[in-house]
Amino acid sequence: MSRIGKNQYQFGKYSLSYHIMLIFIIVGSISTGILFTYLYHIEKESIKSEFLISQQYGEESLINAIQLADQSFSFYDNAYNQPLKIALQRFQDLYHEQGSRPEDTDLESIRKDISIYFDLPIDLYIFNASGVIIASTFEPDIGLNFSYAPKFLKRLNDIRLGDTVAYDAIVTGTKLGEERKYAYIPTRDHEYILEIGINMQEFFKKQGLSKYPRLARWYGRIWNDVSSVWIYDQTYQGAEDI
Protein backbone atom coordinates (compact mmCIF):
# COMPACT_ATOMS: atom_id res chain seq x y z
CA MET A 1 0.00 0.00 0.00
CA SER A 2 1.37 3.36 -0.92
CA ARG A 3 2.30 5.97 1.60
CA ILE A 4 -0.43 8.16 0.18
CA GLY A 5 -3.05 5.44 0.47
CA LYS A 6 -2.13 4.72 4.07
CA ASN A 7 -2.42 8.36 5.02
CA GLN A 8 -5.78 8.60 3.35
CA TYR A 9 -6.98 5.53 5.20
CA GLN A 10 -5.79 6.77 8.57
CA PHE A 11 -7.17 10.19 7.89
CA GLY A 12 -10.59 8.72 7.06
CA LYS A 13 -10.58 6.50 10.11
CA TYR A 14 -9.82 9.29 12.58
CA SER A 15 -12.13 11.69 10.82
CA LEU A 16 -15.07 9.30 11.23
CA SER A 17 -14.43 8.79 14.98
CA TYR A 18 -13.97 12.48 15.47
CA HIS A 19 -17.22 13.29 13.76
CA ILE A 20 -19.11 10.65 15.68
CA MET A 21 -17.74 11.97 18.96
CA LEU A 22 -18.53 15.51 17.88
CA ILE A 23 -22.11 14.56 17.02
CA PHE A 24 -22.57 12.95 20.44
CA ILE A 25 -21.16 16.03 22.15
CA ILE A 26 -23.43 18.35 20.20
CA VAL A 27 -26.50 16.19 20.72
CA GLY A 28 -25.67 15.81 24.41
CA SER A 29 -25.10 19.53 24.83
CA ILE A 30 -28.35 20.37 23.09
CA SER A 31 -30.27 17.79 25.13
CA THR A 32 -28.68 19.01 28.36
CA GLY A 33 -29.45 22.61 27.41
CA ILE A 34 -33.07 21.79 26.61
CA LEU A 35 -33.41 19.83 29.86
CA PHE A 36 -31.92 22.62 31.98
CA THR A 37 -34.02 25.22 30.16
CA TYR A 38 -37.14 23.17 30.82
CA LEU A 39 -36.24 22.62 34.46
CA TYR A 40 -35.42 26.34 34.84
CA HIS A 41 -38.77 27.28 33.33
CA ILE A 42 -40.63 24.84 35.59
CA GLU A 43 -38.77 26.06 38.68
CA LYS A 44 -39.27 29.70 37.72
CA GLU A 45 -43.01 29.23 37.27
CA SER A 46 -43.18 27.30 40.51
CA ILE A 47 -41.39 30.09 42.41
CA LYS A 48 -43.62 32.72 40.81
CA SER A 49 -46.71 30.72 41.64
CA GLU A 50 -45.62 30.21 45.26
CA PHE A 51 -44.77 33.90 45.55
CA LEU A 52 -48.16 35.01 44.20
CA ILE A 53 -49.96 32.60 46.53
CA SER A 54 -47.90 33.84 49.47
CA GLN A 55 -48.56 37.45 48.46
CA GLN A 56 -52.30 36.78 48.22
CA TYR A 57 -52.40 35.09 51.61
CA GLY A 58 -50.28 37.88 53.07
CA GLU A 59 -52.60 40.58 51.75
CA GLU A 60 -55.69 38.76 52.96
CA SER A 61 -54.09 38.23 56.36
CA LEU A 62 -53.22 41.91 56.69
CA ILE A 63 -56.68 43.06 55.60
CA ASN A 64 -58.34 40.68 58.06
CA ALA A 65 -56.01 41.80 60.83
CA ILE A 66 -56.81 45.47 60.17
CA GLN A 67 -60.51 44.73 60.11
CA LEU A 68 -60.24 42.91 63.42
CA ALA A 69 -58.25 45.80 64.89
CA ASP A 70 -60.90 48.24 63.73
CA GLN A 71 -63.70 46.04 65.03
CA SER A 72 -62.02 45.89 68.43
CA PHE A 73 -62.56 49.65 68.66
CA SER A 74 -66.24 49.41 67.79
CA PHE A 75 -67.07 49.45 71.52
CA TYR A 76 -65.55 52.92 71.87
CA ASP A 77 -67.10 54.04 68.58
CA ASN A 78 -70.59 52.96 69.61
CA ALA A 79 -70.26 54.33 73.13
CA TYR A 80 -69.91 57.87 71.78
CA ASN A 81 -72.47 57.72 68.98
CA GLN A 82 -75.46 58.68 71.12
CA PRO A 83 -73.76 61.63 72.88
CA LEU A 84 -72.50 62.81 69.49
CA LYS A 85 -75.99 62.67 68.00
CA ILE A 86 -77.47 64.74 70.85
CA ALA A 87 -74.57 67.20 70.78
CA LEU A 88 -74.74 67.62 66.99
CA GLN A 89 -78.44 68.36 67.11
CA ARG A 90 -77.72 70.97 69.78
CA PHE A 91 -74.86 72.31 67.63
CA GLN A 92 -77.26 72.61 64.69
CA ASP A 93 -79.85 74.47 66.79
CA LEU A 94 -77.28 76.94 68.13
CA TYR A 95 -75.78 77.47 64.67
CA HIS A 96 -79.13 78.56 63.26
CA GLU A 97 -80.00 80.57 66.36
CA GLN A 98 -76.82 82.57 65.87
CA GLY A 99 -77.66 83.54 62.29
CA SER A 100 -77.09 80.47 60.10
CA ARG A 101 -73.77 81.82 58.80
CA PRO A 102 -70.30 80.48 59.70
CA GLU A 103 -68.90 83.98 60.15
CA ASP A 104 -71.60 84.76 62.74
CA THR A 105 -71.16 81.51 64.65
CA ASP A 106 -69.38 81.59 68.01
CA LEU A 107 -67.87 78.12 68.04
CA GLU A 108 -66.19 78.60 71.40
CA SER A 109 -69.48 79.35 73.15
CA ILE A 110 -71.14 76.40 71.41
CA ARG A 111 -68.30 74.10 72.40
CA LYS A 112 -68.69 75.18 76.02
CA ASP A 113 -72.42 74.54 75.79
CA ILE A 114 -72.19 71.01 74.38
CA SER A 115 -69.07 69.85 76.24
CA ILE A 116 -71.36 68.63 79.02
CA TYR A 117 -72.22 65.61 76.84
CA PHE A 118 -68.63 64.36 76.83
CA ASP A 119 -65.94 63.30 79.29
CA LEU A 120 -63.16 64.06 76.79
CA PRO A 121 -62.04 67.24 74.99
CA ILE A 122 -63.91 68.13 71.81
CA ASP A 123 -63.42 70.44 68.84
CA LEU A 124 -66.00 71.87 66.44
CA TYR A 125 -65.67 72.27 62.67
CA ILE A 126 -67.65 73.76 59.79
CA PHE A 127 -67.19 72.46 56.23
CA ASN A 128 -68.27 74.31 53.11
CA ALA A 129 -69.72 72.66 50.00
CA SER A 130 -66.22 72.15 48.56
CA GLY A 131 -65.10 70.01 51.49
CA VAL A 132 -62.94 72.74 53.05
CA ILE A 133 -62.89 73.42 56.79
CA ILE A 134 -63.68 77.13 56.97
CA ALA A 135 -64.09 77.45 60.74
CA SER A 136 -62.97 75.41 63.73
CA THR A 137 -62.02 75.56 67.39
CA PHE A 138 -58.93 73.59 66.33
CA GLU A 139 -57.08 76.28 64.38
CA PRO A 140 -54.50 74.02 62.64
CA ASP A 141 -57.34 72.41 60.65
CA ILE A 142 -58.80 75.68 59.33
CA GLY A 143 -58.36 75.72 55.56
CA LEU A 144 -57.90 71.97 55.30
CA ASN A 145 -59.15 70.92 51.88
CA PHE A 146 -60.23 67.31 51.37
CA SER A 147 -60.12 67.48 47.58
CA TYR A 148 -57.08 65.18 47.80
CA ALA A 149 -59.40 62.42 49.07
CA PRO A 150 -62.17 62.07 46.46
CA LYS A 151 -64.01 59.22 48.20
CA PHE A 152 -64.14 61.07 51.48
CA LEU A 153 -65.11 64.26 49.66
CA LYS A 154 -68.03 62.44 48.04
CA ARG A 155 -69.11 61.20 51.47
CA LEU A 156 -69.00 64.74 52.82
CA ASN A 157 -71.16 65.90 49.94
CA ASP A 158 -73.68 63.12 50.62
CA ILE A 159 -73.79 64.12 54.29
CA ARG A 160 -74.31 67.79 53.41
CA LEU A 161 -77.21 66.98 51.10
CA GLY A 162 -78.78 64.52 53.54
CA ASP A 163 -80.71 64.97 56.76
CA THR A 164 -79.11 62.57 59.21
CA VAL A 165 -76.15 62.36 61.56
CA ALA A 166 -73.13 60.48 60.18
CA TYR A 167 -70.32 58.92 62.18
CA ASP A 168 -66.70 58.03 61.49
CA ALA A 169 -64.80 55.22 63.11
CA ILE A 170 -61.92 56.35 65.29
CA VAL A 171 -59.26 57.77 62.97
CA THR A 172 -55.92 59.52 63.24
CA GLY A 173 -56.02 63.33 63.32
CA THR A 174 -54.81 65.11 60.19
CA LYS A 175 -52.35 67.48 61.89
CA LEU A 176 -51.09 66.11 65.20
CA GLY A 177 -51.63 62.41 64.64
CA GLU A 178 -53.92 62.06 67.63
CA GLU A 179 -56.77 59.56 67.72
CA ARG A 180 -60.17 61.21 67.21
CA LYS A 181 -63.80 60.23 66.85
CA TYR A 182 -65.76 62.40 64.38
CA ALA A 183 -69.44 62.85 63.58
CA TYR A 184 -71.30 65.17 61.18
CA ILE A 185 -74.66 66.82 60.63
CA PRO A 186 -75.74 69.10 57.74
CA THR A 187 -77.04 72.60 58.29
CA ARG A 188 -80.74 72.93 57.56
CA ASP A 189 -80.08 74.88 54.37
CA HIS A 190 -77.64 72.15 53.27
CA GLU A 191 -74.94 74.71 52.58
CA TYR A 192 -72.52 73.50 55.25
CA ILE A 193 -71.60 70.54 57.43
CA LEU A 194 -71.21 70.81 61.21
CA GLU A 195 -68.72 68.41 62.77
CA ILE A 196 -67.69 67.40 66.26
CA GLY A 197 -64.34 65.71 66.90
CA ILE A 198 -63.60 63.97 70.21
CA ASN A 199 -59.90 63.95 71.08
CA MET A 200 -59.28 60.46 72.49
CA GLN A 201 -55.48 60.56 72.59
CA GLU A 202 -55.10 60.94 76.36
CA PHE A 203 -57.77 58.29 76.93
CA PHE A 204 -55.84 55.86 74.74
CA LYS A 205 -52.63 56.54 76.62
CA LYS A 206 -54.24 56.06 80.02
CA GLN A 207 -55.91 52.83 78.93
CA GLY A 208 -52.79 51.54 77.16
CA LEU A 209 -54.66 51.16 73.90
CA SER A 210 -52.78 50.84 70.64
CA LYS A 211 -54.48 50.49 67.30
CA TYR A 212 -51.90 49.69 64.64
CA PRO A 213 -48.38 49.49 66.19
CA ARG A 214 -49.01 46.06 67.70
CA LEU A 215 -50.53 44.91 64.44
CA ALA A 216 -47.46 46.05 62.51
CA ARG A 217 -45.10 44.24 64.88
CA TRP A 218 -47.18 41.07 64.73
CA TYR A 219 -47.34 41.16 60.95
CA GLY A 220 -43.58 41.67 60.71
CA ARG A 221 -42.98 38.58 62.83
CA ILE A 222 -45.40 36.37 60.90
CA TRP A 223 -44.38 37.46 57.39
CA ASN A 224 -40.61 37.74 57.36
CA ASP A 225 -40.52 38.55 53.64
CA VAL A 226 -42.46 41.79 54.17
CA SER A 227 -40.06 44.72 54.55
CA SER A 228 -42.57 47.44 55.49
CA VAL A 229 -46.27 48.18 55.93
CA TRP A 230 -48.26 51.37 55.39
CA ILE A 231 -51.80 51.67 56.74
CA TYR A 232 -54.06 54.59 55.80
CA ASP A 233 -57.37 55.61 57.29
CA GLN A 234 -60.37 56.72 55.25
CA THR A 235 -59.11 60.30 55.15
CA TYR A 236 -55.95 59.01 53.42
CA GLN A 237 -53.80 59.80 56.44
CA GLY A 238 -51.01 57.34 57.16
CA ALA A 239 -50.65 55.85 60.61
CA GLU A 240 -47.42 57.55 61.68
CA ASP A 241 -46.76 55.18 64.56
CA ILE A 242 -45.83 52.30 62.22
Side-chain angles (χ1 to χ4, degrees):
M1 183 179 290
S2 67
R3 183 184 298 273
I4 296 175
K6 183 178 180 180
N7 287 341
Q8 288 177 340
Y9 171 76
Q10 290 178 345
F11 176 76
K13 177 182 178 181
Y14 294 131
S15 176
L16 179 61
S17 299
Y18 173 79
H19 282 91
I20 291 174
M21 181 178 65
L22 184 62
I23 290 171
F24 274 112
I25 292 174
I26 293 173
V27 172
S29 298
I30 293 174
S31 300
T32 302
I34 293 173
L35 178 61
F36 276 105
T37 300
Y38 174 75
L39 292 176
Y40 169 79
H41 176 73
I42 294 298
E43 187 65 20
K44 179 182 177 181
E45 292 301 316
S46 176
I47 292 174
K48 286 174 62 178
S49 177
E50 290 177 1
F51 172 79
L52 292 175
I53 292 174
S54 175
Q55 183 183 49
Q56 180 181 353
Y57 285 155
E59 291 173 353
E60 292 177 354
S61 174
L62 180 58
I63 291 172
N64 290 335
I66 292 172
Q67 290 174 341
L68 287 173
D70 285 336
Q71 289 172 9
S72 68
F73 282 79
S74 62
F75 170 79
Y76 303 104
D77 282 332
N78 296 333
Y80 284 100
N81 284 348
Q82 187 62 24
L84 279 168
K85 181 177 181 180
I86 297 172
L88 280 168
Q89 290 170 342
R90 177 63 175 164
F91 187 1
Q92 186 187 64
D93 290 339
L94 294 173
Y95 170 82
H96 288 289
E97 287 176 10
Q98 293 184 5
S100 301
R101 296 195 308 173
E103 57 269 28
D104 296 332
T105 304
D106 186 350
L107 291 180
E108 288 295 343
S109 67
I110 296 176
R111 175 166 67 170
K112 183 177 180 180
D113 183 287
I114 65 178
S115 290
I116 61 173
Y117 299 111
F118 305 98
D119 56 355
L120 293 172
I122 64 170
D123 281 299
L124 308 183
Y125 309 79
I126 300 178
F127 288 81
N128 65 13
S130 299
V132 179
I133 296 176
I134 58 173
S136 176
T137 56
F138 183 64
E139 291 187 3
D141 272 355
I142 296 176
L144 185 60
N145 188 340
F146 284 95
S147 60
Y148 69 89
K151 291 183 179 179
F152 183 66
L153 187 61
K154 181 182 182 303
R155 181 166 182 262
L156 287 176
N157 191 57
D158 291 341
I159 293 171
R160 181 176 58 83
L161 298 177
D163 292 298
T164 59
V165 174
Y167 308 95
D168 275 349
I170 298 171
V171 296
T172 303
T174 55
K175 296 294 184 180
L176 304 181
E178 74 284 6
E179 298 296 335
R180 287 181 179 255
K181 165 76 173 176
Y182 294 102
Y184 317 81
I185 194 171
T187 56
R188 291 170 187 151
D189 55 12
H190 301 284
E191 293 292 328
Y192 302 96
I193 297 173
L194 308 178
E195 178 189 47
I196 297 175
I198 306 173
N199 190 332
M200 305 186 69
Q201 190 67 15
E202 289 302 318
F203 173 75
F204 275 32
K205 288 181 179 179
K206 290 180 180 179
Q207 298 297 323
L209 300 175
S210 177
K211 192 170 186 180
Y212 293 128
R214 294 175 185 172
L215 169 60
R217 290 193 293 269
W218 167 81
Y219 194 79
R221 290 195 301 268
I222 298 299
W223 299 92
N224 295 324
D225 54 341
V226 175
S227 60
S228 58
V229 177
W230 291 271
I231 300 177
Y232 296 86
D233 64 23
Q234 61 182 323
T235 62
Y236 289 78
Q237 296 297 311
E240 298 178 357
D241 48 10
I242 296 182

